[in-house]
């Protein structure tokens, strides 16, 4: 087995394991199985994600035939552990190549990109409210320094408290949106969360998820 075929074959094994465990995670959430969720999210999926990313490393192409054989043995152990046959993996590789330009992977990747775009739009809308609010806070702070009467100081101070409460809520929303964008961008960069759908067509994915363009 040449290096390129070995890499594609190994990637397919790991993608199928990730797909299988992702389905198990969905089931665990449906059943509210907290223990299973924790194991899958913190142990199983990160381990196979790390393997998948390692298989994308260009340094892998520099491995000797002996090193390749050693890694291949690990992959075949994973294959057996997950009850996948070599024929299933080879068939999945053929489908992935055949569906390359019309696969479910492209659909899911577009959904990720759309989600980022939508989240960033929400963030922009928040800043449309936040920017004038920050200017009002600045003005109130200046007014407070100039206030002479006690009643004026109390009123301005109360206004500052209200403005800062609103500012804090908006900044918390921005932070939450930034965190979501970061996670989705990481999913796009790591690829596997959409590549696991590369062996089905867009039509098949739409059938099961009611996806609409």
């Amino acid at each position: 087995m040449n290096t390129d075929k070995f890499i594609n074959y190994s990637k397919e094994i790991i993608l199928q394991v990730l797909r299988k465990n992702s389905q198990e995670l969905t089931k665990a959430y449906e059943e509210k199985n907290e223990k299973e969720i924790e194991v899958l999210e913190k142990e199983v999926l990160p381990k196979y994600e790390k393997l998948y990313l390692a298989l994308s490393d260009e340094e892998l192409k520099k491995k000797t035939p002996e090193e390749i054989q050693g890694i291949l043995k690990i992959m075949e152990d994973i294959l057996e552990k997950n009850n996948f046959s070599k024929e299933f993996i080879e068939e999945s590789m053929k489908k992935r190549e055949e569906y390359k330009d019309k696969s479910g992977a492209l659909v899911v990747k577009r959904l990720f990109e759309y989600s980022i775009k939508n989240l960033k739009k929400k963030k922009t809308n928040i800043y449309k409210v936040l920017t004038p609010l920050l200017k009002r806070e600045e003005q109130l702070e200046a007014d407070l320094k100039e206030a002479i009467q006690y009643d004026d100081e109390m009123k301005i101070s109360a206004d500052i408290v209200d403005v800062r409460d609103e500012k804090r809520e908006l900044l918390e929303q921005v932070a939450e949106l930034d965190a979501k964008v970061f996670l989705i961008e990481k999913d796009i960069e790591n690829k596997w969360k959409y590549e696991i759908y590369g062996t089905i067509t867009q039509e098949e994915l739409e059938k099961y998820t009611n996806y609409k363009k």
Side-chain angles (χ1 to χ4, degrees):
M1 184 182 292
N2 65 43
T3 303
D4 286 339
K5 186 174 181 181
F6 154 74
I7 291 173
N8 290 334
Y9 178 73
S10 298
K11 277 186 173 182
E12 194 62 51
I13 291 173
I14 302 303
L15 282 172
Q16 292 304 325
V17 173
L18 286 165
R19 178 189 60 80
K20 175 185 173 183
N21 284 293
S22 294
Q23 291 173 342
E24 289 176 359
L25 180 61
T26 298
K27 183 180 178 182
Y29 268 108
E30 289 171 353
E31 296 175 351
K32 298 181 180 179
N33 187 335
E34 297 296 333
K35 184 177 179 180
E36 183 73 3
I37 290 169
E38 184 174 4
V39 170
L40 287 166
E41 287 188 335
K42 294 185 178 180
E43 297 178 25
V44 179
L45 287 170
K47 178 177 73 174
Y48 286 109
E49 178 182 279
K50 187 176 180 180
L51 274 172
Y52 181 71
L53 293 176
L55 290 167
S56 300
D57 192 333
E58 287 297 313
E59 290 297 313
L60 194 63
K61 294 181 179 180
K62 300 177 183 178
K63 297 290 184 183
T64 65
E66 291 76 17
E67 289 173 321
I68 293 294
Q69 282 302 313
I71 298 170
L72 187 58
K73 177 64 170 62
I74 293 172
M75 291 300 144
E76 290 178 343
D77 287 344
I78 292 171
L79 192 72
E80 183 178 351
K81 180 181 177 181
N82 287 273
N83 297 315
F84 292 142
S85 67
K86 290 183 179 180
E87 291 75 21
F88 169 72
I89 297 301
E90 289 170 355
E91 182 63 26
S92 295
M93 290 171 67
K94 288 179 183 177
K95 287 181 179 179
R96 190 175 298 279
E97 181 63 27
E98 181 183 350
Y99 302 154
K100 185 183 296 184
D101 298 322
K102 54 181 179 180
S103 73
L106 296 178
V107 175
V108 176
K109 186 180 180 183
R110 283 200 299 267
L111 282 173
F112 284 167
E113 292 168 342
Y114 174 79
S115 294
I116 289 175
K117 183 178 179 181
N118 192 42
L119 289 167
K120 287 183 176 180
K121 183 178 179 181
K122 288 181 180 179
K123 182 178 173 180
T124 298
N125 290 335
I126 289 174
Y127 271 109
K128 287 179 181 178
V129 178
L130 183 59
T131 301
L133 193 68
L134 293 173
K135 290 181 180 179
R136 174 162 168 72
E137 180 187 28
E138 185 180 347
Q139 183 60 53
L140 286 169
E141 289 172 345
D143 291 345
L144 183 61
K145 290 178 182 178
E146 298 296 327
I148 299 175
Q149 298 295 325
Y150 176 77
D151 288 347
D152 290 340
E153 288 182 357
M154 290 301 99
K155 182 181 184 306
I156 294 170
S157 295
D159 288 343
I160 289 175
V161 169
D162 290 341
V163 167
R164 286 177 177 170
D165 283 345
E166 188 176 353
K167 180 183 75 172
R168 185 180 65 255
E169 290 177 5
L170 291 171
L171 288 174
E172 286 174 354
Q173 291 177 37
V174 169
E176 186 178 338
L177 291 172
D178 282 341
K180 289 179 179 179
V181 168
F182 174 79
L183 289 175
I184 298 172
E185 286 179 337
K186 185 180 177 183
D187 287 342
I188 292 175
E189 181 183 354
N190 291 345
K191 296 183 179 181
W192 73 264
K193 284 194 178 178
Y194 62 85
E195 288 290 359
I196 58 176
Y197 299 99
T199 56
I200 61 174
T201 64
Q202 177 175 323
E203 289 73 20
E204 287 177 287
L205 186 65
E206 289 174 352
K207 178 180 177 183
Y208 292 108
T209 64
N210 293 319
Y211 166 76
K212 301 295 181 185
K213 275 189 175 180

